[in-house]
Amino acid sequence: MNGSRRELRCAEEGCSLVEAMVALSILSIVLAGSLGSFTLTEEGIAAGAKSMAMTALVENKIEALRAIPYESLLSPDLNGEGKTDMVFQETGSGLFQGQQTVEGVLVTSTVILDHPMLSRSGAATIKVAAEWNDPRGRHRTVRFGLRRANPVYTGVTP
């Protein structure tokens, strides 16, 4: 009877407090390390979402500049309200640039003409860029560009 009682007591003892504390310490170290990766993942997802939104913004701007009549390229009414959305300033011979801030993001549109006068240029290069700083302070840029022909250009200069 004494032997059976000893077996029962050993089976019911379980683990000691020291063993439980060691296991808890190891578990907390592993969980603390994985929480850091959750933060990095969240920042990465937020940065990707911002880049995607800025890509859509730049794509919309360049498509709007592509769709308006060629003669309105330097004074665009992109939303059809009857007023100029962006003022382009000549920064060089045939180089025009306009800037605006949208939701804290600097959007720069550039039109480079083949000839200093819009009516005499055979084509224009249009570039649109969005610039912002991510939450870590790194500078980010999205750029799109296209080449657009003047539909009424004949090659003859008066």
Side-chain angles (χ1 to χ4, degrees):
M1 185 159 136
N2 203 9
S4 65
R5 195 172 195 181
R6 181 178 286 178
E7 286 178 24
L8 183 61
R9 193 178 66 185
C10 289
E12 291 177 358
E13 281 181 12
C15 61
S16 68
L17 181 61
V18 174
E19 290 171 330
M21 294 300 286
V22 168
L24 206 58
S25 305
I26 292 171
L27 182 63
S28 65
I29 290 170
V30 169
L31 287 178
S34 65
L35 286 177
S37 69
F38 285 129
T39 304
L40 287 175
T41 303
E42 184 181 354
E43 288 176 1
I45 290 171
K50 180 80 168 186
S51 290
M52 199 161 39
M54 292 307 103
T55 300
L57 174 72
V58 170
E59 196 172 12
N60 285 340
K61 291 279 184 191
I62 204 158
E63 284 299 316
L65 286 169
R66 185 189 64 77
I68 62 173
Y70 190 83
E71 60 274 1
S72 301
L73 203 52
L74 298 178
S75 58
D77 175 17
L78 302 179
N79 55 15
E81 293 178 346
K83 62 180 183 176
T84 302
D85 295 328
M86 185 183 308
V87 177
F88 282 93
Q89 297 178 350
E90 187 169 8
T91 57
S93 181
L95 177 66
F96 297 85
Q97 194 171 51
Q99 292 183 333
Q100 63 185 149
T101 303
V102 179
E103 300 173 15
V105 176
L106 178 64
V107 179
T108 305
S109 300
T110 306
V111 177
I112 305 166
L113 303 174
D114 290 347
H115 188 279
M117 290 179 57
L118 182 63
S119 60
R120 292 186 180 179
S121 69
T125 301
I126 303 169
K127 297 178 183 180
V128 179
E131 300 177 43
W132 73 97
N133 289 327
D134 68 7
R136 290 186 168 197
R138 294 178 295 198
H139 186 73
R140 300 290 182 200
T141 304
V142 174
R143 292 185 188 102
F144 278 83
L146 63 87
R147 185 98 169 124
R148 183 169 174 197
N150 184 348
V152 296
Y153 181 71
T154 60
V156 179
T157 55

Short mmCIF file of all heavy atoms in Angstrom, two decimals, residues 68-108:
data_model
loop_
_atom_site.label_atom_id
_atom_site.label_comp_id
_atom_site.label_asym_id
_atom_site.label_seq_id
_atom_site.Cartn_x
_atom_site.Cartn_y
_atom_site.Cartn_z
N ILE A 68 -6.73 66.21 -72.79
CA ILE A 68 -7.19 67.56 -73.14
C ILE A 68 -6.66 67.95 -74.52
O ILE A 68 -5.69 67.37 -75.00
CB ILE A 68 -6.76 68.60 -72.08
CG1 ILE A 68 -5.24 68.69 -71.98
CG2 ILE A 68 -7.39 68.30 -70.74
CD1 ILE A 68 -4.75 69.82 -71.08
N PRO A 69 -7.28 68.94 -75.18
CA PRO A 69 -6.78 69.38 -76.48
C PRO A 69 -5.33 69.89 -76.37
O PRO A 69 -4.94 70.47 -75.37
CB PRO A 69 -7.73 70.53 -76.85
CG PRO A 69 -8.97 70.27 -76.06
CD PRO A 69 -8.52 69.62 -74.80
N TYR A 70 -4.56 69.65 -77.41
CA TYR A 70 -3.14 69.99 -77.41
C TYR A 70 -2.91 71.48 -77.15
O TYR A 70 -2.01 71.85 -76.42
CB TYR A 70 -2.51 69.59 -78.75
CG TYR A 70 -1.00 69.68 -78.76
CD1 TYR A 70 -0.24 68.65 -78.26
CD2 TYR A 70 -0.35 70.79 -79.28
CE1 TYR A 70 1.14 68.70 -78.25
CE2 TYR A 70 1.03 70.86 -79.28
CZ TYR A 70 1.78 69.82 -78.76
OH TYR A 70 3.14 69.89 -78.76
N GLU A 71 -3.76 72.32 -77.71
CA GLU A 71 -3.58 73.77 -77.55
C GLU A 71 -3.87 74.23 -76.11
O GLU A 71 -3.50 75.34 -75.73
CB GLU A 71 -4.43 74.56 -78.54
CG GLU A 71 -5.92 74.34 -78.46
CD GLU A 71 -6.42 73.14 -79.26
OE1 GLU A 71 -5.62 72.43 -79.89
OE2 GLU A 71 -7.65 72.92 -79.24
N SER A 72 -4.51 73.39 -75.31
CA SER A 72 -4.79 73.72 -73.90
C SER A 72 -3.78 73.11 -72.94
O SER A 72 -3.96 73.15 -71.73
CB SER A 72 -6.18 73.22 -73.51
OG SER A 72 -7.16 73.78 -74.33
N LEU A 73 -2.71 72.55 -73.47
CA LEU A 73 -1.75 71.81 -72.66
C LEU A 73 -1.10 72.64 -71.57
O LEU A 73 -0.85 72.15 -70.47
CB LEU A 73 -0.68 71.23 -73.58
CG LEU A 73 0.10 70.03 -73.10
CD1 LEU A 73 -0.81 68.91 -72.65
CD2 LEU A 73 1.02 69.54 -74.19
N LEU A 74 -0.86 73.91 -71.82
CA LEU A 74 -0.16 74.77 -70.84
C LEU A 74 -1.11 75.53 -69.92
O LEU A 74 -0.67 76.22 -69.01
CB LEU A 74 0.78 75.73 -71.55
CG LEU A 74 1.90 75.06 -72.34
CD1 LEU A 74 2.75 76.09 -73.06
CD2 LEU A 74 2.75 74.18 -71.45
N SER A 75 -2.40 75.42 -70.15
CA SER A 75 -3.39 76.01 -69.24
C SER A 75 -4.53 75.02 -69.08
O SER A 75 -5.64 75.25 -69.54
CB SER A 75 -3.89 77.35 -69.78
OG SER A 75 -4.45 77.17 -71.06
N PRO A 76 -4.24 73.89 -68.45
CA PRO A 76 -5.22 72.80 -68.44
C PRO A 76 -6.39 73.02 -67.48
O PRO A 76 -6.23 73.53 -66.39
CB PRO A 76 -4.39 71.60 -67.98
CG PRO A 76 -3.32 72.19 -67.14
CD PRO A 76 -3.01 73.53 -67.76
N ASP A 77 -7.56 72.63 -67.95
CA ASP A 77 -8.76 72.53 -67.12
C ASP A 77 -9.02 71.03 -67.00
O ASP A 77 -9.76 70.45 -67.78
CB ASP A 77 -9.93 73.26 -67.79
CG ASP A 77 -11.23 73.08 -67.02
OD1 ASP A 77 -11.18 72.69 -65.84
OD2 ASP A 77 -12.29 73.32 -67.61
N LEU A 78 -8.37 70.40 -66.03
CA LEU A 78 -8.39 68.94 -65.94
C LEU A 78 -9.71 68.37 -65.44
O LEU A 78 -10.06 67.24 -65.75
CB LEU A 78 -7.25 68.45 -65.04
CG LEU A 78 -5.85 68.86 -65.47
CD1 LEU A 78 -4.82 68.34 -64.50
CD2 LEU A 78 -5.54 68.38 -66.87
N ASN A 79 -10.46 69.12 -64.66
CA ASN A 79 -11.70 68.58 -64.12
C ASN A 79 -12.94 69.13 -64.80
O ASN A 79 -14.04 68.86 -64.37
CB ASN A 79 -11.77 68.79 -62.60
CG ASN A 79 -11.59 70.24 -62.21
OD1 ASN A 79 -11.68 71.12 -63.05
ND2 ASN A 79 -11.33 70.48 -60.94
N GLY A 80 -12.79 69.94 -65.85
CA GLY A 80 -13.94 70.43 -66.62
C GLY A 80 -14.77 71.50 -65.94
O GLY A 80 -15.92 71.70 -66.30
N GLU A 81 -14.21 72.21 -64.96
CA GLU A 81 -14.95 73.25 -64.26
C GLU A 81 -14.85 74.62 -64.93
O GLU A 81 -15.44 75.57 -64.47
CB GLU A 81 -14.45 73.37 -62.81
CG GLU A 81 -14.75 72.16 -61.96
CD GLU A 81 -14.20 72.30 -60.56
OE1 GLU A 81 -13.36 73.20 -60.31
OE2 GLU A 81 -14.59 71.49 -59.70
N GLY A 82 -14.09 74.71 -65.99
CA GLY A 82 -13.96 75.97 -66.70
C GLY A 82 -12.88 76.88 -66.14
O GLY A 82 -12.78 78.03 -66.52
N LYS A 83 -12.08 76.41 -65.22
CA LYS A 83 -10.98 77.21 -64.70
C LYS A 83 -9.69 76.39 -64.76
O LYS A 83 -9.70 75.16 -64.72
CB LYS A 83 -11.24 77.68 -63.27
CG LYS A 83 -11.39 76.58 -62.26
CD LYS A 83 -11.65 77.14 -60.88
CE LYS A 83 -11.73 75.98 -59.88
NZ LYS A 83 -11.88 76.44 -58.54
N THR A 84 -8.57 77.09 -64.84
CA THR A 84 -7.28 76.43 -64.94
C THR A 84 -6.93 75.76 -63.62
O THR A 84 -6.98 76.38 -62.57
CB THR A 84 -6.19 77.47 -65.32
OG1 THR A 84 -6.56 78.08 -66.55
CG2 THR A 84 -4.84 76.82 -65.46
N ASP A 85 -6.59 74.48 -63.68
CA ASP A 85 -6.26 73.71 -62.49
C ASP A 85 -4.83 73.92 -62.03
O ASP A 85 -4.53 73.81 -60.85
CB ASP A 85 -6.49 72.23 -62.73
CG ASP A 85 -7.95 71.91 -62.97
OD1 ASP A 85 -8.80 72.61 -62.39
OD2 ASP A 85 -8.24 70.98 -63.73
N MET A 86 -3.94 74.18 -62.99
CA MET A 86 -2.53 74.32 -62.67
C MET A 86 -1.93 75.39 -63.56
O MET A 86 -2.25 75.45 -64.74
CB MET A 86 -1.82 72.98 -62.90
CG MET A 86 -0.38 72.97 -62.49
SD MET A 86 0.45 71.41 -62.85
CE MET A 86 -0.62 70.23 -62.10
N VAL A 87 -1.09 76.21 -63.00
CA VAL A 87 -0.43 77.26 -63.77
C VAL A 87 0.98 76.77 -64.12
O VAL A 87 1.76 76.43 -63.23
CB VAL A 87 -0.35 78.58 -62.97
CG1 VAL A 87 0.40 79.63 -63.75
CG2 VAL A 87 -1.75 79.06 -62.62
N PHE A 88 1.26 76.72 -65.41
CA PHE A 88 2.60 76.33 -65.86
C PHE A 88 3.43 77.58 -66.06
O PHE A 88 2.98 78.56 -66.66
CB PHE A 88 2.52 75.56 -67.19
CG PHE A 88 2.09 74.14 -67.03
CD1 PHE A 88 0.76 73.78 -67.13
CD2 PHE A 88 3.03 73.15 -66.78
CE1 PHE A 88 0.37 72.47 -66.99
CE2 PHE A 88 2.64 71.83 -66.64
CZ PHE A 88 1.31 71.49 -66.74
N GLN A 89 4.65 77.54 -65.57
CA GLN A 89 5.58 78.64 -65.75
C GLN A 89 6.75 78.16 -66.59
O GLN A 89 7.23 77.04 -66.41
CB GLN A 89 6.08 79.15 -64.40
CG GLN A 89 4.99 79.73 -63.55
CD GLN A 89 5.50 80.20 -62.20
OE1 GLN A 89 6.62 79.94 -61.81
NE2 GLN A 89 4.65 80.89 -61.47
N GLU A 90 7.20 79.02 -67.51
CA GLU A 90 8.32 78.65 -68.35
C GLU A 90 9.61 78.73 -67.53
O GLU A 90 9.92 79.75 -66.93
CB GLU A 90 8.42 79.55 -69.58
CG GLU A 90 9.47 79.08 -70.55
CD GLU A 90 9.40 79.79 -71.89
OE1 GLU A 90 8.62 80.76 -72.03
OE2 GLU A 90 10.13 79.36 -72.79
N THR A 91 10.33 77.63 -67.49
CA THR A 91 11.58 77.59 -66.74
C THR A 91 12.79 77.50 -67.66
O THR A 91 13.92 77.49 -67.19
CB THR A 91 11.60 76.39 -65.77
OG1 THR A 91 11.41 75.19 -66.52
CG2 THR A 91 10.50 76.51 -64.72
N GLY A 92 12.55 77.43 -68.94
CA GLY A 92 13.63 77.36 -69.92
C GLY A 92 13.02 77.43 -71.30
O GLY A 92 11.82 77.61 -71.46
N SER A 93 13.83 77.29 -72.31
CA SER A 93 13.35 77.36 -73.68
C SER A 93 12.49 76.13 -74.00
O SER A 93 13.00 75.04 -74.23
CB SER A 93 14.55 77.42 -74.63
OG SER A 93 14.09 77.51 -75.95
N GLY A 94 11.20 76.32 -73.99
CA GLY A 94 10.27 75.23 -74.28
C GLY A 94 10.01 74.30 -73.11
O GLY A 94 9.40 73.27 -73.27
N LEU A 95 10.47 74.67 -71.91
CA LEU A 95 10.28 73.85 -70.72
C LEU A 95 9.32 74.56 -69.78
O LEU A 95 9.60 75.67 -69.33
CB LEU A 95 11.62 73.60 -70.02
CG LEU A 95 11.59 72.81 -68.73
CD1 LEU A 95 11.15 71.38 -68.98
CD2 LEU A 95 12.95 72.82 -68.08
N PHE A 96 8.19 73.93 -69.50
CA PHE A 96 7.16 74.53 -68.65
C PHE A 96 6.90 73.60 -67.47
O PHE A 96 6.85 72.37 -67.64
CB PHE A 96 5.87 74.74 -69.45
CG PHE A 96 6.02 75.70 -70.59
CD1 PHE A 96 6.48 75.26 -71.82
CD2 PHE A 96 5.72 77.04 -70.42
CE1 PHE A 96 6.63 76.15 -72.87
CE2 PHE A 96 5.87 77.93 -71.47
CZ PHE A 96 6.33 77.49 -72.69
N GLN A 97 6.74 74.21 -66.29
CA GLN A 97 6.56 73.40 -65.09
C GLN A 97 5.46 73.99 -64.21
O GLN A 97 5.36 75.20 -64.04
CB GLN A 97 7.87 73.33 -64.32
CG GLN A 97 7.91 72.27 -63.25
CD GLN A 97 9.31 72.11 -62.68
OE1 GLN A 97 9.91 73.09 -62.29
NE2 GLN A 97 9.80 70.89 -62.63
N GLY A 98 4.64 73.10 -63.65
CA GLY A 98 3.59 73.50 -62.73
C GLY A 98 3.62 72.59 -61.51
O GLY A 98 3.92 71.41 -61.63
N GLN A 99 3.34 73.17 -60.34
CA GLN A 99 3.35 72.38 -59.11
C GLN A 99 2.08 72.65 -58.31
O GLN A 99 1.54 73.74 -58.34
CB GLN A 99 4.56 72.72 -58.23
CG GLN A 99 5.87 72.29 -58.82
CD GLN A 99 7.04 72.58 -57.89
OE1 GLN A 99 6.97 73.50 -57.08
NE2 GLN A 99 8.09 71.81 -58.01
N GLN A 100 1.65 71.63 -57.61
CA GLN A 100 0.53 71.78 -56.68
C GLN A 100 0.70 70.73 -55.58
O GLN A 100 1.38 69.72 -55.76
CB GLN A 100 -0.81 71.63 -57.39
CG GLN A 100 -1.05 70.29 -58.00
CD GLN A 100 -2.36 70.24 -58.79
OE1 GLN A 100 -2.41 69.51 -59.74
NE2 GLN A 100 -3.39 70.94 -58.43
N THR A 101 0.12 71.03 -54.43
CA THR A 101 0.17 70.10 -53.31
C THR A 101 -1.20 69.46 -53.15
O THR A 101 -2.21 70.15 -53.05
CB THR A 101 0.57 70.84 -52.02
OG1 THR A 101 1.82 71.48 -52.24
CG2 THR A 101 0.72 69.87 -50.87
N VAL A 102 -1.21 68.13 -53.16
CA VAL A 102 -2.44 67.36 -53.03
C VAL A 102 -2.27 66.42 -51.85
O VAL A 102 -1.40 65.55 -51.87
CB VAL A 102 -2.73 66.55 -54.31
CG1 VAL A 102 -3.99 65.73 -54.16
CG2 VAL A 102 -2.81 67.45 -55.52
N GLU A 103 -3.08 66.61 -50.81
CA GLU A 103 -3.04 65.76 -49.62
C GLU A 103 -1.64 65.66 -49.02
O GLU A 103 -1.19 64.58 -48.63
CB GLU A 103 -3.58 64.36 -49.95
CG GLU A 103 -5.00 64.35 -50.43
CD GLU A 103 -5.44 62.97 -50.91
OE1 GLU A 103 -4.76 61.98 -50.60
OE2 GLU A 103 -6.46 62.91 -51.59
N GLY A 104 -0.93 66.78 -48.99
CA GLY A 104 0.42 66.81 -48.42
C GLY A 104 1.49 66.25 -49.33
O GLY A 104 2.63 66.05 -48.90
N VAL A 105 1.17 66.00 -50.58
CA VAL A 105 2.11 65.43 -51.55
C VAL A 105 2.36 66.47 -52.63
O VAL A 105 1.42 67.05 -53.18
CB VAL A 105 1.54 64.14 -52.17
CG1 VAL A 105 2.46 63.59 -53.24
CG2 VAL A 105 1.29 63.11 -51.09
N LEU A 106 3.64 66.72 -52.95
CA LEU A 106 3.99 67.67 -54.00
C LEU A 106 3.88 66.98 -55.35
O LEU A 106 4.57 65.99 -55.62
CB LEU A 106 5.42 68.20 -53.80
CG LEU A 106 5.92 69.18 -54.85
CD1 LEU A 106 5.09 70.46 -54.82
CD2 LEU A 106 7.38 69.46 -54.64
N VAL A 107 2.99 67.49 -56.20
CA VAL A 107 2.80 66.96 -57.54
C VAL A 107 3.36 67.97 -58.53
O VAL A 107 2.93 69.12 -58.56
CB VAL A 107 1.30 66.68 -57.84
CG1 VAL A 107 1.13 66.14 -59.25
CG2 VAL A 107 0.72 65.72 -56.82
N THR A 108 4.35 67.53 -59.32
CA THR A 108 5.01 68.40 -60.29
C THR A 108 4.70 67.88 -61.69
O THR A 108 4.93 66.71 -61.99
CB THR A 108 6.53 68.40 -60.08
OG1 THR A 108 6.81 68.78 -58.73
CG2 THR A 108 7.22 69.36 -61.03
#
